[in-house]
Amino acid sequence: MAITLKSGYKMPIVGLGVWRMEGKDIKDLLINAIKIGYRHFDCAADYQNEAEVGEALAEAFQTGLVKREDLFITTKLWNSDHGHVLEACKDSLKKLRLDYLDLYLVHFPVATKHTGVGTTASALGEDGVLDIDTTISLETTWHGMENLVSLGLVRSIGISNYDIFLTRDCLAYSKVKPAVNQIETHPYFQRESLVKFCQKHGICVTAHTPLGGAAANTEWFGSVSCLEDPALKGLAEKYKKTVAQVILRWGIQRNTVVIPKSSKLERLQENFNVLDFELTKEDMDLIKSLDRNYRTNQPAKFWGIDLYA
């Protein structure tokens, strides 16, 4: 099952995010994911594991497990490389051992002090606050992204963590329109206005943190996960599915792409098996009522500034 992007290319509606996957485990995880049926992998320069992902992909291609054209590979431009879009993209391609990317995203709508291509550092000033570069506009960055499409290095380009204001601006100044906006969205942070705005303007919404962050965000940010919600547990019992499967199915029925992350084989299988049932309108409405406007991914912890303020 796939969504056709504004660029004309198809993006599988279920993908696997590789954030916080450890280098030594990545090859086995990705090979197993491909065997399960995953064809969409969501990477980023900032995850600092593109080389390990590239090693796994190379093995999958060499052994005939899958062909390059069968996979949809996303990676992202880090904040410190906004003034070096071409070099950063080429660096990611080299690490991933690919000739082209299916999708390249602007990871966050902020340029920060350049620390060297591919280093993905978040340099802090003397005051302990993120060193934001005020000389590079998001429009300049976007035109650099458009150049990648012209060069054939990237098939589709998009944005990530953009709100309605910034997304509208991007639509206004872009020649190649953003195909995707990847945002945090889950039952506790539904962002209905942003999702509908993007979809109205032909931008596919990809849900990062589609399960509300689970253990990873609880560990890093002290956040609460919707996986423990009593109403969602009740729906899981009703449909004889896991809570995670119910949440992912809800995301799919909103016409959003979901990219859950898991390092456990059993969970990889569960998260992929979400196309064999459908939530009723009543149950979709029940989940809609659970919204808390609750963001779990809080980079301010590391940056000394709340960019969402």
Side-chain angles (χ1 to χ4, degrees):
M1 192 172 176
I3 285 181
T4 301
L5 302 177
K6 187 184 280 279
S7 56
Y9 293 99
K10 292 185 183 299
M11 182 181 193
I13 203 159
V14 179
L16 177 64
V18 303
W19 179 52
R20 295 191 72 189
M21 283 191 181
E22 297 296 330
K24 62 183 184 301
D25 300 324
I26 286 178
K27 188 193 287 187
D28 287 344
L29 278 167
L30 264 60
I31 295 296
N32 282 322
I34 291 170
K35 288 178 179 176
I36 287 168
Y38 285 90
R39 294 295 180 265
H40 173 187
F41 296 95
D42 184 80
C43 314
D46 186 52
Y47 301 164
Q48 298 181 0
N49 55 14
E50 285 177 315
E52 289 81 3
V53 171
E55 188 180 342
L57 294 176
E59 181 174 309
F61 299 148
Q62 288 163 7
T63 58
L65 180 62
V66 72
K67 295 178 181 176
R68 169 65 186 99
E69 56 266 29
D70 297 329
L71 296 185
F72 190 100
I73 308 297
T74 300
T75 197
K76 308 178 191 79
L77 174 78
W78 187 238
N79 308 335
S80 55
D81 283 334
H82 276 225
H84 304 267
V85 176
L86 177 60
E87 300 96 315
C89 180
K90 286 183 173 179
D91 184 66
S92 286
L93 283 169
K94 183 178 179 181
K95 288 172 180 171
L96 290 166
R97 305 192 195 184
L98 299 175
D99 296 323
Y100 69 89
L101 295 169
D102 294 281
L103 178 64
Y104 197 45
L105 302 177
V106 180
H107 202 149
F108 279 95
V110 63
T112 61
K113 181 181 178 181
H114 184 60
T115 53
V117 170
T119 58
T120 69
S122 292
L124 304 181
E126 291 180 4
D127 57 358
V129 173
L130 187 68
D131 195 344
I132 294 173
D133 187 336
T134 58
T135 67
I136 304 169
S137 71
L138 291 175
E139 180 175 353
T140 299
T141 300
W142 188 255
H143 292 324
M145 299 285 284
E146 291 174 325
N147 183 48
L148 302 177
V149 178
S150 301
L151 293 172
L153 298 176
V154 174
R155 288 185 164 180
S156 303
I157 50 177
I159 52 185
S160 183
N161 301 303
Y162 276 50
D163 62 14
I164 289 177
F165 296 122
L166 294 174
T167 303
R168 189 220 69 88
D169 263 14
C170 189
L171 286 167
Y173 57 62
S174 57
K175 294 185 182 73
V176 179
K177 303 301 177 185
V180 169
N181 187 7
Q182 185 178 126
I183 59 170
E184 177 180 346
T185 179
H186 47 78
Y188 280 1
F189 195 39
Q190 297 186 22
R191 312 180 81 181
E192 194 72 9
S193 294
L194 177 55
V195 171
K196 285 185 173 177
F197 178 84
C198 290
Q199 292 174 340
K200 178 180 180 179
H201 293 280
I203 301 171
C204 170
V205 173
T206 296
H208 76 66
T209 327
L211 300 174
N217 280 12
T218 299
E219 178 189 336
W220 275 29
F221 308 117
S223 54
V224 176
S225 170
C226 53
L227 286 168
E228 300 301 320
D229 189 276
L232 292 172
K233 286 184 175 181
L235 289 179
E237 288 180 20
K238 173 181 175 180
Y239 288 94
K240 295 181 172 56
K241 295 289 182 179
T242 65
V243 176
Q245 286 173 321
V246 168
I247 294 172
L248 294 173
R249 181 68 210 184
W250 168 80
I252 289 169
Q253 287 182 220
R254 296 176 87 202
N255 292 316
T256 61
V257 171
V258 292
I259 48 169
K261 176 256 175 188
S262 181
S263 299
K264 297 177 181 175
L265 188 57
E266 182 183 353
R267 295 265 173 78
L268 285 177
Q269 185 78 58
E270 282 179 4
N271 291 346
F272 192 72
N273 292 336
V274 290
L275 302 178
D276 61 350
F277 73 107
E278 189 167 335
L279 300 172
T280 65
K281 182 184 183 303
E282 291 74 22
D283 291 335
M284 288 292 289
D285 289 342
L286 171 61
I287 297 175
K288 188 174 184 178
S289 73
L290 302 178
D291 194 8
R292 299 183 180 183
N293 196 29
Y294 181 72
R295 185 190 299 276
T296 68
N297 192 297
Q298 295 285 3
K301 175 181 177 181
F302 310 108
W303 295 346
I305 184 172
D306 181 7
L307 293 180
Y308 301 115

Short mmCIF file of all heavy atoms in Angstrom, two decimals, residues 31-78:
data_model
loop_
_atom_site.label_atom_id
_atom_site.label_comp_id
_atom_site.label_asym_id
_atom_site.label_seq_id
_atom_site.Cartn_x
_atom_site.Cartn_y
_atom_site.Cartn_z
N ILE A 31 18.02 -6.23 7.19
CA ILE A 31 17.85 -7.43 6.36
C ILE A 31 16.57 -8.16 6.77
O ILE A 31 15.77 -8.58 5.92
CB ILE A 31 19.07 -8.37 6.49
CG1 ILE A 31 20.33 -7.70 5.92
CG2 ILE A 31 18.80 -9.70 5.79
CD1 ILE A 31 20.30 -7.39 4.44
N ASN A 32 16.35 -8.29 8.08
CA ASN A 32 15.12 -8.93 8.55
C ASN A 32 13.88 -8.13 8.17
O ASN A 32 12.84 -8.69 7.82
CB ASN A 32 15.17 -9.13 10.07
CG ASN A 32 16.03 -10.31 10.48
OD1 ASN A 32 16.03 -11.34 9.80
ND2 ASN A 32 16.77 -10.17 11.57
N ALA A 33 13.99 -6.80 8.25
CA ALA A 33 12.85 -5.95 7.89
C ALA A 33 12.49 -6.13 6.41
O ALA A 33 11.30 -6.22 6.05
CB ALA A 33 13.18 -4.49 8.17
N ILE A 34 13.50 -6.21 5.56
CA ILE A 34 13.25 -6.42 4.13
C ILE A 34 12.58 -7.78 3.91
O ILE A 34 11.63 -7.91 3.12
CB ILE A 34 14.56 -6.31 3.32
CG1 ILE A 34 15.05 -4.85 3.32
CG2 ILE A 34 14.35 -6.79 1.88
CD1 ILE A 34 16.44 -4.66 2.76
N LYS A 35 13.02 -8.78 4.64
CA LYS A 35 12.41 -10.12 4.52
C LYS A 35 10.96 -10.11 4.97
O LYS A 35 10.11 -10.81 4.41
CB LYS A 35 13.22 -11.14 5.33
CG LYS A 35 14.57 -11.47 4.71
CD LYS A 35 15.36 -12.45 5.58
CE LYS A 35 16.70 -12.80 4.92
NZ LYS A 35 17.54 -13.67 5.81
N ILE A 36 10.65 -9.30 6.00
CA ILE A 36 9.27 -9.17 6.48
C ILE A 36 8.39 -8.51 5.42
O ILE A 36 7.21 -8.82 5.29
CB ILE A 36 9.23 -8.37 7.80
CG1 ILE A 36 9.79 -9.22 8.95
CG2 ILE A 36 7.82 -7.88 8.13
CD1 ILE A 36 10.06 -8.43 10.22
N GLY A 37 8.99 -7.58 4.66
CA GLY A 37 8.23 -6.89 3.62
C GLY A 37 8.41 -5.39 3.58
O GLY A 37 7.85 -4.70 2.72
N TYR A 38 9.17 -4.83 4.53
CA TYR A 38 9.42 -3.39 4.53
C TYR A 38 10.16 -2.99 3.24
O TYR A 38 11.12 -3.64 2.84
CB TYR A 38 10.28 -2.98 5.72
CG TYR A 38 9.56 -2.95 7.06
CD1 TYR A 38 9.50 -4.08 7.86
CD2 TYR A 38 8.97 -1.77 7.52
CE1 TYR A 38 8.87 -4.05 9.10
CE2 TYR A 38 8.33 -1.73 8.75
CZ TYR A 38 8.29 -2.88 9.54
OH TYR A 38 7.65 -2.84 10.76
N ARG A 39 9.70 -1.89 2.65
CA ARG A 39 10.37 -1.36 1.46
C ARG A 39 10.69 0.13 1.62
O ARG A 39 11.23 0.74 0.69
CB ARG A 39 9.49 -1.57 0.22
CG ARG A 39 9.29 -3.06 -0.15
CD ARG A 39 10.60 -3.71 -0.57
NE ARG A 39 10.47 -5.10 -0.93
CZ ARG A 39 10.68 -6.13 -0.10
NH1 ARG A 39 11.02 -5.90 1.17
NH2 ARG A 39 10.58 -7.36 -0.52
N HIS A 40 10.36 0.69 2.75
CA HIS A 40 10.53 2.12 3.00
C HIS A 40 11.36 2.29 4.27
O HIS A 40 10.98 1.79 5.33
CB HIS A 40 9.12 2.74 3.15
CG HIS A 40 9.10 4.17 3.59
ND1 HIS A 40 7.92 4.82 3.91
CD2 HIS A 40 10.08 5.09 3.77
CE1 HIS A 40 8.19 6.07 4.26
NE2 HIS A 40 9.49 6.24 4.19
N PHE A 41 12.49 2.98 4.14
CA PHE A 41 13.39 3.18 5.28
C PHE A 41 13.67 4.67 5.45
O PHE A 41 14.02 5.35 4.50
CB PHE A 41 14.68 2.38 5.10
CG PHE A 41 14.44 0.91 5.06
CD1 PHE A 41 14.30 0.23 3.86
CD2 PHE A 41 14.32 0.18 6.24
CE1 PHE A 41 14.04 -1.13 3.83
CE2 PHE A 41 14.06 -1.19 6.23
CZ PHE A 41 13.91 -1.84 5.02
N ASP A 42 13.50 5.14 6.69
CA ASP A 42 13.64 6.56 6.99
C ASP A 42 14.93 6.80 7.78
O ASP A 42 15.06 6.37 8.93
CB ASP A 42 12.44 7.04 7.80
CG ASP A 42 12.49 8.53 8.07
OD1 ASP A 42 12.13 9.31 7.16
OD2 ASP A 42 12.92 8.93 9.17
N CYS A 43 15.85 7.49 7.14
CA CYS A 43 17.17 7.74 7.72
C CYS A 43 17.38 9.24 7.92
O CYS A 43 16.52 10.05 7.58
CB CYS A 43 18.26 7.21 6.78
SG CYS A 43 17.97 5.55 6.14
N ALA A 44 18.52 9.62 8.46
CA ALA A 44 18.89 11.03 8.60
C ALA A 44 20.38 11.11 8.88
O ALA A 44 20.94 10.25 9.56
CB ALA A 44 18.11 11.69 9.73
N ALA A 45 21.00 12.16 8.37
CA ALA A 45 22.41 12.38 8.66
C ALA A 45 22.63 12.46 10.17
O ALA A 45 23.62 11.94 10.71
CB ALA A 45 22.89 13.66 7.98
N ASP A 46 21.68 13.09 10.86
CA ASP A 46 21.83 13.29 12.30
C ASP A 46 21.77 11.99 13.10
O ASP A 46 22.21 11.96 14.25
CB ASP A 46 20.75 14.25 12.80
CG ASP A 46 20.94 14.61 14.27
OD1 ASP A 46 22.05 15.03 14.63
OD2 ASP A 46 19.99 14.46 15.05
N TYR A 47 21.24 10.93 12.53
CA TYR A 47 21.17 9.66 13.26
C TYR A 47 22.54 8.99 13.36
O TYR A 47 22.72 8.04 14.11
CB TYR A 47 20.17 8.70 12.60
CG TYR A 47 18.76 9.21 12.49
CD1 TYR A 47 17.85 8.61 11.63
CD2 TYR A 47 18.32 10.32 13.23
CE1 TYR A 47 16.55 9.08 11.51
CE2 TYR A 47 17.03 10.80 13.11
CZ TYR A 47 16.15 10.17 12.24
OH TYR A 47 14.87 10.65 12.11
N GLN A 48 23.47 9.49 12.53
CA GLN A 48 24.86 9.03 12.57
C GLN A 48 25.00 7.53 12.36
O GLN A 48 25.87 6.88 12.95
CB GLN A 48 25.52 9.48 13.88
CG GLN A 48 25.56 10.99 14.02
CD GLN A 48 26.23 11.49 15.29
OE1 GLN A 48 26.68 10.69 16.11
NE2 GLN A 48 26.28 12.78 15.48
N ASN A 49 24.14 6.98 11.51
CA ASN A 49 24.27 5.55 11.19
C ASN A 49 24.03 5.29 9.70
O ASN A 49 23.74 4.15 9.32
CB ASN A 49 23.30 4.72 12.05
CG ASN A 49 21.85 5.16 11.93
OD1 ASN A 49 21.49 5.91 11.02
ND2 ASN A 49 21.01 4.69 12.83
N GLU A 50 24.18 6.33 8.88
CA GLU A 50 23.96 6.14 7.44
C GLU A 50 24.94 5.13 6.85
O GLU A 50 24.56 4.33 5.98
CB GLU A 50 24.10 7.48 6.70
CG GLU A 50 22.91 8.42 6.89
CD GLU A 50 23.12 9.75 6.19
OE1 GLU A 50 24.22 10.32 6.30
OE2 GLU A 50 22.18 10.23 5.53
N ALA A 51 26.18 5.12 7.31
CA ALA A 51 27.16 4.18 6.76
C ALA A 51 26.76 2.74 7.06
O ALA A 51 26.89 1.85 6.20
CB ALA A 51 28.55 4.48 7.34
N GLU A 52 26.24 2.50 8.25
CA GLU A 52 25.81 1.15 8.62
C GLU A 52 24.57 0.74 7.83
O GLU A 52 24.42 -0.41 7.41
CB GLU A 52 25.53 1.08 10.12
CG GLU A 52 26.76 1.15 11.01
CD GLU A 52 27.28 2.57 11.24
OE1 GLU A 52 26.63 3.53 10.75
OE2 GLU A 52 28.32 2.72 11.88
N VAL A 53 23.66 1.70 7.63
CA VAL A 53 22.49 1.43 6.79
C VAL A 53 22.94 1.10 5.37
O VAL A 53 22.45 0.15 4.75
CB VAL A 53 21.53 2.64 6.77
CG1 VAL A 53 20.42 2.44 5.72
CG2 VAL A 53 20.92 2.86 8.15
N GLY A 54 23.90 1.87 4.87
CA GLY A 54 24.43 1.64 3.52
C GLY A 54 25.04 0.25 3.37
O GLY A 54 24.89 -0.40 2.33
N GLU A 55 25.72 -0.20 4.40
CA GLU A 55 26.32 -1.55 4.39
C GLU A 55 25.23 -2.62 4.28
O GLU A 55 25.35 -3.57 3.51
CB GLU A 55 27.14 -1.76 5.67
CG GLU A 55 27.96 -3.02 5.69
CD GLU A 55 28.75 -3.18 6.98
OE1 GLU A 55 28.92 -2.18 7.70
OE2 GLU A 55 29.18 -4.31 7.26
N ALA A 56 24.15 -2.42 5.03
CA ALA A 56 23.03 -3.37 4.99
C ALA A 56 22.36 -3.36 3.62
O ALA A 56 22.03 -4.42 3.07
CB ALA A 56 22.03 -3.04 6.09
N LEU A 57 22.14 -2.16 3.08
CA LEU A 57 21.50 -2.07 1.77
C LEU A 57 22.35 -2.73 0.69
O LEU A 57 21.84 -3.45 -0.18
CB LEU A 57 21.24 -0.60 1.41
CG LEU A 57 20.23 0.14 2.28
CD1 LEU A 57 20.16 1.62 1.86
CD2 LEU A 57 18.85 -0.50 2.20
N ALA A 58 23.66 -2.49 0.76
CA ALA A 58 24.57 -3.08 -0.23
C ALA A 58 24.49 -4.61 -0.20
O ALA A 58 24.46 -5.26 -1.25
CB ALA A 58 26.00 -2.62 0.03
N GLU A 59 24.43 -5.16 1.00
CA GLU A 59 24.32 -6.62 1.13
C GLU A 59 22.99 -7.11 0.56
O GLU A 59 22.94 -8.14 -0.13
CB GLU A 59 24.44 -7.05 2.59
CG GLU A 59 24.36 -8.56 2.78
CD GLU A 59 24.64 -8.99 4.21
OE1 GLU A 59 25.67 -8.57 4.76
OE2 GLU A 59 23.82 -9.75 4.75
N ALA A 60 21.93 -6.38 0.84
CA ALA A 60 20.60 -6.77 0.34
C ALA A 60 20.56 -6.76 -1.19
O ALA A 60 19.97 -7.65 -1.82
CB ALA A 60 19.53 -5.84 0.90
N PHE A 61 21.23 -5.78 -1.79
CA PHE A 61 21.27 -5.70 -3.26
C PHE A 61 22.15 -6.81 -3.83
O PHE A 61 21.79 -7.48 -4.80
CB PHE A 61 21.80 -4.33 -3.72
CG PHE A 61 20.96 -3.16 -3.27
CD1 PHE A 61 21.56 -1.93 -3.00
CD2 PHE A 61 19.58 -3.27 -3.10
CE1 PHE A 61 20.80 -0.85 -2.59
CE2 PHE A 61 18.81 -2.20 -2.69
CZ PHE A 61 19.42 -0.97 -2.43
N GLN A 62 23.33 -7.00 -3.22
CA GLN A 62 24.30 -7.97 -3.75
C GLN A 62 23.81 -9.40 -3.67
O GLN A 62 24.10 -10.21 -4.55
CB GLN A 62 25.63 -7.82 -3.00
CG GLN A 62 26.40 -6.55 -3.35
CD GLN A 62 27.49 -6.21 -2.34
OE1 GLN A 62 27.76 -6.97 -1.42
NE2 GLN A 62 28.09 -5.04 -2.50
N THR A 63 23.03 -9.71 -2.64
CA THR A 63 22.53 -11.07 -2.47
C THR A 63 21.23 -11.31 -3.23
O THR A 63 20.72 -12.44 -3.24
CB THR A 63 22.28 -11.40 -0.98
OG1 THR A 63 21.33 -10.45 -0.45
CG2 THR A 63 23.58 -11.31 -0.18
N GLY A 64 20.72 -10.26 -3.87
CA GLY A 64 19.49 -10.41 -4.64
C GLY A 64 18.23 -10.43 -3.79
O GLY A 64 17.15 -10.77 -4.28
N LEU A 65 18.36 -10.06 -2.53
CA LEU A 65 17.20 -10.03 -1.64
C LEU A 65 16.16 -9.03 -2.12
O LEU A 65 14.94 -9.26 -2.05
CB LEU A 65 17.64 -9.69 -0.20
CG LEU A 65 16.55 -9.61 0.86
CD1 LEU A 65 15.85 -10.97 1.01
CD2 LEU A 65 17.15 -9.17 2.20
N VAL A 66 16.65 -7.92 -2.67
CA VAL A 66 15.78 -6.87 -3.16
C VAL A 66 16.56 -6.03 -4.17
O VAL A 66 17.80 -6.00 -4.15
CB VAL A 66 15.28 -6.00 -1.97
CG1 VAL A 66 16.40 -5.13 -1.40
CG2 VAL A 66 14.08 -5.16 -2.34
N LYS A 67 15.85 -5.34 -5.06
CA LYS A 67 16.49 -4.45 -6.03
C LYS A 67 16.38 -3.01 -5.52
O LYS A 67 15.46 -2.68 -4.79
CB LYS A 67 15.81 -4.56 -7.39
CG LYS A 67 15.96 -5.92 -8.04
CD LYS A 67 15.20 -5.96 -9.36
CE LYS A 67 15.31 -7.33 -10.02
NZ LYS A 67 14.49 -7.41 -11.27
N ARG A 68 17.31 -2.18 -5.96
CA ARG A 68 17.29 -0.78 -5.53
C ARG A 68 15.95 -0.11 -5.83
O ARG A 68 15.40 0.62 -5.00
CB ARG A 68 18.43 0.01 -6.20
CG ARG A 68 18.35 1.55 -6.03
CD ARG A 68 18.50 1.94 -4.57
NE ARG A 68 18.30 3.37 -4.32
CZ ARG A 68 17.17 3.91 -3.88
NH1 ARG A 68 16.12 3.13 -3.64
NH2 ARG A 68 17.09 5.21 -3.64
N GLU A 69 15.42 -0.39 -7.02
CA GLU A 69 14.18 0.29 -7.42
C GLU A 69 12.96 -0.16 -6.60
O GLU A 69 11.91 0.47 -6.64
CB GLU A 69 13.90 0.09 -8.91
CG GLU A 69 13.83 -1.36 -9.35
CD GLU A 69 15.16 -1.91 -9.87
OE1 GLU A 69 16.23 -1.43 -9.41
OE2 GLU A 69 15.12 -2.81 -10.74
N ASP A 70 13.12 -1.23 -5.84
CA ASP A 70 12.02 -1.71 -5.00
C ASP A 70 11.95 -0.98 -3.66
O ASP A 70 10.96 -1.11 -2.94
CB ASP A 70 12.17 -3.22 -4.73
CG ASP A 70 12.07 -4.04 -5.99
OD1 ASP A 70 11.36 -3.61 -6.92
OD2 ASP A 70 12.71 -5.11 -6.06
N LEU A 71 13.03 -0.27 -3.31
CA LEU A 71 13.10 0.38 -2.01
C LEU A 71 12.83 1.89 -2.12
O LEU A 71 13.11 2.50 -3.16
CB LEU A 71 14.46 0.16 -1.36
CG LEU A 71 14.84 -1.28 -1.00
CD1 LEU A 71 16.18 -1.29 -0.26
CD2 LEU A 71 13.76 -1.95 -0.17
N PHE A 72 12.32 2.45 -1.04
CA PHE A 72 12.12 3.89 -0.93
C PHE A 72 12.96 4.36 0.24
O PHE A 72 12.68 4.05 1.40
CB PHE A 72 10.64 4.21 -0.68
CG PHE A 72 10.29 5.67 -0.79
CD1 PHE A 72 9.71 6.17 -1.95
CD2 PHE A 72 10.55 6.55 0.25
CE1 PHE A 72 9.38 7.52 -2.06
CE2 PHE A 72 10.24 7.90 0.15
CZ PHE A 72 9.65 8.39 -1.01
N ILE A 73 14.03 5.11 -0.07
CA ILE A 73 14.99 5.53 0.95
C ILE A 73 14.93 7.04 1.15
O ILE A 73 15.10 7.82 0.22
CB ILE A 73 16.44 5.14 0.57
CG1 ILE A 73 16.54 3.66 0.21
CG2 ILE A 73 17.39 5.50 1.72
CD1 ILE A 73 16.21 2.70 1.34
N THR A 74 14.68 7.42 2.40
CA THR A 74 14.63 8.83 2.79
C THR A 74 15.83 9.14 3.68
O THR A 74 16.21 8.32 4.51
CB THR A 74 13.35 9.12 3.61
OG1 THR A 74 12.21 8.81 2.83
CG2 THR A 74 13.30 10.57 4.07
N THR A 75 16.43 10.30 3.49
CA THR A 75 17.34 10.82 4.51
C THR A 75 17.14 12.32 4.59
O THR A 75 16.31 12.89 3.88
CB THR A 75 18.81 10.39 4.28
OG1 THR A 75 19.53 10.59 5.50
CG2 THR A 75 19.47 11.15 3.16
N LYS A 76 17.89 12.97 5.51
CA LYS A 76 17.56 14.36 5.83
C LYS A 76 18.81 15.24 5.95
O LYS A 76 19.85 14.81 6.43
CB LYS A 76 16.78 14.42 7.16
CG LYS A 76 15.56 13.49 7.20
CD LYS A 76 14.85 13.53 8.53
CE LYS A 76 13.82 12.42 8.63
NZ LYS A 76 14.40 11.12 8.95
N LEU A 77 18.61 16.49 5.54
CA LEU A 77 19.64 17.53 5.65
C LEU A 77 19.67 18.04 7.08
O LEU A 77 18.65 18.47 7.63
CB LEU A 77 19.28 18.69 4.71
CG LEU A 77 20.17 19.93 4.78
CD1 LEU A 77 21.48 19.69 4.05
CD2 LEU A 77 19.43 21.14 4.19
N TRP A 78 20.84 18.03 7.71
CA TRP A 78 20.92 18.50 9.09
C TRP A 78 21.04 20.03 9.14
O TRP A 78 21.45 20.69 8.19
CB TRP A 78 22.06 17.83 9.84
CG TRP A 78 22.06 18.18 11.31
CD1 TRP A 78 23.06 18.76 12.02
CD2 TRP A 78 20.97 17.98 12.24
NE1 TRP A 78 22.66 18.95 13.34
CE2 TRP A 78 21.39 18.48 13.49
CE3 TRP A 78 19.69 17.45 12.12
CZ2 TRP A 78 20.56 18.45 14.62
CZ3 TRP A 78 18.87 17.42 13.24
CH2 TRP A 78 19.31 17.92 14.48
#
